[in-house]
Amino acid sequence: MKLGAILDSFRQPIRDAIKSAAALGVSGVQFYTVKGELAPENLSESGIADLKNALASSNLSISALCGDLGGFGFEVAKDNGWKVEKSKRILDLALKLGATVVTTHIGVVPDDQTSVVWKTMADACNELASYGDKIGATFAVETGPESPELLKRFLDGLSARGVRVNYDPANLAMVTASDPVAGVAVLKDYIVHTHAKDGVNYKPCDRARVYHGFASGNPEKIDYASLFKETPLGEGAVKWPDYIAALRKIGYDGFLTIEREVGENPARDIGKAVRFLTPLLNG
């Protein structure tokens, strides 16, 4: 397994973030490509070449692109036309940059497989899965809004294999209070990328209420701090030696891409995460 870092977590301009990641000794990076200079509609062929050169000169590869379009994922049918097309363009961009994985949230998978929302999400994911299979890229659903068992049931029902899993152990620990170690075995056939993040859960959460609050700007004024907290890696509920052992057991040899979404000094926390994980991966 290899260590990566999300460039956006450094809160620096892209070229500075590349240098910061390289200085920490990671071998790969992930970054958002949904808007701004790195969006597929704004990144020219020369811009792609310049970005690839900047990464190569720092001995960095791309672990994945982040194509999270925000909102309710693919739960709302009227929004899925443009979201699916934008996602396809991000998959195209991934291949141009030498990557094959694009991660995102797809929304909250409902418990009821016969519901309209389930069908709406499945229709969008089937189209993306087929496109991914066609061009040789993968659209990876980030864990968190549902248990590993429910996510597997949803993915098992898709008609193509181009939608897989970006496994984030902290999201599972924080929101669904699922065991992120046990979940690896459940989703073993789908994991193509992972986020290295940590966190704790304080009390049971309504998963749909939590994620729909994120999507809508929190009109209910949910007190997220009373429910869960993202922590520096190694200070939360994820049992990292057991988690890494579980990934090894299923034969995963891809990236653990460090993500730090909060905190006063995320660059410092990413460095701490590198120092924490390196001996575990080398052991």
Side-chain angles (χ1 to χ4, degrees):
M1 284 179 276
K2 303 171 286 292
L3 288 182
I6 294 184
L7 293 182
D8 305 78
S9 292
F10 289 98
R11 302 177 194 167
Q12 298 171 342
I14 183 70
R15 300 303 191 278
D16 293 337
I18 288 172
K19 293 177 182 177
S20 294
L24 292 177
V26 300
S27 56
V29 294
Q30 181 181 11
F31 45 90
Y32 281 76
T33 55
V34 298
K35 60 184 179 181
E37 64 175 315
L38 300 181
E41 65 270 20
N42 297 329
L43 196 57
S44 65
E45 293 300 322
S46 62
I48 290 172
D50 288 344
L51 182 55
K52 291 174 70 174
N53 288 336
L55 292 168
S57 65
S58 293
N59 295 314
L60 293 170
S61 62
I62 298 175
S63 68
L65 299 186
C66 183
D68 190 347
L69 299 176
F72 293 89
F74 298 108
E75 293 183 53
V76 182
K78 67 181 180 63
D79 294 335
N80 285 352
W82 74 264
K83 284 191 169 184
V84 167
E85 288 307 309
K86 179 67 174 276
S87 298
K88 289 179 180 179
R89 302 294 77 77
I90 295 173
L91 285 170
D92 293 338
L93 177 60
L95 289 181
K96 290 179 181 179
L97 288 168
T100 58
V101 177
V102 172
T103 72
T104 195
H105 288 278
I106 61 169
V108 180
V109 177
D111 294 306
D112 183 4
Q113 190 167 343
T114 66
S115 70
V116 172
V117 172
W118 182 294
K119 183 180 185 304
T120 298
M121 296 174 69
D123 286 346
C125 287
N126 272 325
E127 185 171 349
L128 287 171
S130 296
Y131 189 74
D133 284 348
K134 178 182 176 181
I135 68 172
T138 302
F139 197 67
V141 179
E142 185 164 335
T143 55
E146 52 280 315
S147 69
E149 291 79 9
L150 179 55
L151 181 56
K152 181 181 184 299
R153 182 154 59 95
F154 178 80
L155 295 174
D156 283 348
L158 298 181
S159 59
R161 299 287 289 175
V163 169
R164 300 295 185 91
V165 167
N166 172 44
Y167 200 96
D168 188 314
N171 289 347
L172 292 170
M174 289 190 293
V175 178
T176 66
S178 301
D179 180 350
V181 176
V184 171
V186 175
L187 291 168
K188 61 183 176 66
D189 294 330
Y190 291 103
I191 299 172
V192 294
H193 188 262
T194 74
H195 279 166
K197 191 171 72 180
D198 213 340
V200 293
N201 172 269
Y202 296 130
K203 63 176 69 171
C205 300
D206 180 328
R207 62 190 182 89
R209 183 168 176 257
V210 164
Y211 276 93
H212 289 163
F214 288 149
S216 58
N218 195 20
E220 294 184 54
K221 307 300 181 185
I222 299 169
D223 182 11
Y224 291 113
S226 71
L227 300 176
F228 51 80
K229 178 183 179 181
E230 182 188 324
T231 68
L233 198 143
E235 298 180 17
V238 180
K239 299 176 180 177
W240 288 96
D242 294 342
Y243 174 62
I244 289 171
L247 289 173
R248 285 191 171 124
K249 187 174 182 179
I250 67 167
Y252 179 75
D253 62 356
F255 277 93
L256 278 76
T257 301
I258 299 164
E259 180 178 28
R260 184 68 169 134
E261 297 187 283
V262 299
E264 295 181 0
N265 192 335
R268 178 193 62 202
D269 292 340
I270 294 169
K272 179 180 177 181
V274 171
R275 293 189 294 274
F276 177 85
L277 289 171
T278 297
L280 293 178
L281 294 181
N282 292 338

